[in-house]
Amino acid sequence: QVQLVESGGGLVQPGGSLRLSCAASGNIFSLNAMGWYRQAPGKQRELVASITSGGVTNYADSIKGRFTISRGNGKNTVYLQMNSLKPEDTAVYYCNLRFFIGPGESWGQGSQVTVSS
């Protein structure tokens, strides 16, 4: 049984901060690289940050220096610390595997982040 549950989103003013959490149930998530994705209205889902099981991180240029991805000690919880938020960060944020072996992957409900003045 696998499950992805995102939480921590909300409404924040530009320059504010939020911390997203992802509860990932299943050995497949603890053993593999994980990523945070986001989808803004009318746009495709995009990868914004990733972290391997060994802790190596990567970030999209659009958020580099502002967001930090991390994993809990048990590797089944993934966090995204978001600082200096901008209106263009407004999107639904999802967590999932960084690499997909084949089609048919499952997605959680996501967490809405709204940055507005």
Side-chain angles (χ1 to χ4, degrees):
Q1 187 178 40
V2 296
Q3 188 176 35
L4 296 163
V5 181
E6 301 92 346
S7 62
L11 174 64
V12 65
Q13 294 183 2
S17 298
L18 286 172
R19 192 192 195 203
L20 302 182
S21 297
C22 171
S25 301
N27 288 338
I28 187 172
F29 300 119
S30 62
L31 295 172
N32 291 277
M34 295 291 293
W36 278 100
Y37 303 77
R38 69 184 182 187
Q39 186 168 28
K43 296 186 176 181
Q44 288 189 282
R45 182 158 38 220
E46 63 174 342
L47 177 70
V48 298
S50 65
I51 184 168
T52 70
S53 60
V56 178
T57 60
N58 242 278
Y59 300 95
D61 289 340
S62 60
I63 59 91
K64 190 174 297 182
R66 300 187 296 119
F67 293 7
T68 303
I69 188 172
S70 61
R71 304 183 80 142
N73 293 153
K75 304 299 183 182
N76 282 105
T77 306
V78 190
Y79 304 99
L80 186 67
Q81 178 66 49
M82 305 183 294
N83 299 322
S84 302
L85 284 161
K86 304 175 180 180
E88 51 262 46
D89 295 320
T90 296
V92 179
Y93 284 71
Y94 304 87
C95 64
N96 213 326
L97 294 168
R98 170 62 182 84
F99 302 103
F100 302 101
I101 297 176
E105 66 271 10
S106 181
W107 297 83
Q109 83 287 349
S111 187
Q112 176 70 53
V113 172
T114 303
V115 185
S116 178
S117 60

